[in-house]
Amino acid sequence: MKLQDASQQHAKWDAQLRKGTLELAVLAALEGKQKYGLELLNQFQQFDTLQITEGTLYPLLDRLKREGILAASWIQQGEQRPRKYYSLTVAGAKKLGFLKQRWISTVADLNSILCES
């Protein structure tokens, strides 16, 4: 396998993994606090596997808001322009609890399989 092919396969793997875990990451980042979109984006940029674009994050935030998982409110602080802050709703906190448990179970299952090899 060529180095370029391997690199493309790794990029595809990373994209699929990110796609499957991004909702969990957003909900976890908002647990017990509210954040605005760019703040979330900057937080995720700190992690190699969570680097996304605004074009990925904002549609997800909008969908979660429509589903009642997130609440959003405009807040102005000082002279800055207002920012839209997101927070978990009660339904969002419940969903986060469920997703956390599924993630923990999945990681444990995979670790069992990987350690058998």
Side-chain angles (χ1 to χ4, degrees), residues 38 58 74-85:
L38 188 56
Y58 287 104
W74 289 95
I75 299 174
Q76 182 164 356
Q77 296 177 335
E79 296 296 315
Q80 296 178 350
R81 62 184 177 87
R83 292 180 169 148
K84 191 181 223 180
Y85 281 80

Side-chain angles (χ1 to χ4, degrees), residues 33-110:
K33 59 189 92 55
Q34 59 181 6
K35 293 183 179 182
Y36 56 95
L38 188 56
E39 188 176 11
L40 286 167
L41 196 62
N42 289 335
Q43 180 179 1
F44 294 156
Q45 293 300 322
Q46 297 174 33
F47 304 100
D48 185 48
T49 60
L50 291 175
Q51 294 186 8
I52 57 171
T53 65
E54 291 179 30
T56 299
L57 179 62
Y58 287 104
L60 174 60
L61 292 172
D62 287 340
R63 178 179 62 79
L64 293 172
K65 185 176 175 277
R66 283 191 315 273
E67 292 175 356
I69 302 300
L70 297 181
S73 58
W74 289 95
I75 299 174
Q76 182 164 356
Q77 296 177 335
E79 296 296 315
Q80 296 178 350
R81 62 184 177 87
R83 292 180 169 148
K84 191 181 223 180
Y85 281 80
Y86 297 89
S87 60
L88 295 180
T89 62
V90 172
K94 287 179 183 176
K95 185 164 189 176
L96 174 59
F98 170 77
L99 293 178
K100 273 185 182 181
Q101 287 303 312
R102 295 305 298 161
W103 177 256
I104 290 166
S105 295
T106 299
V107 169
D109 293 347
L110 282 171

Side-chain angles (χ1 to χ4, degrees), residues 104-117:
I104 290 166
S105 295
T106 299
V107 169
D109 293 347
L110 282 171
N111 279 335
S112 291
I113 293 168
L114 290 170
C115 290
E116 286 178 4
S117 314

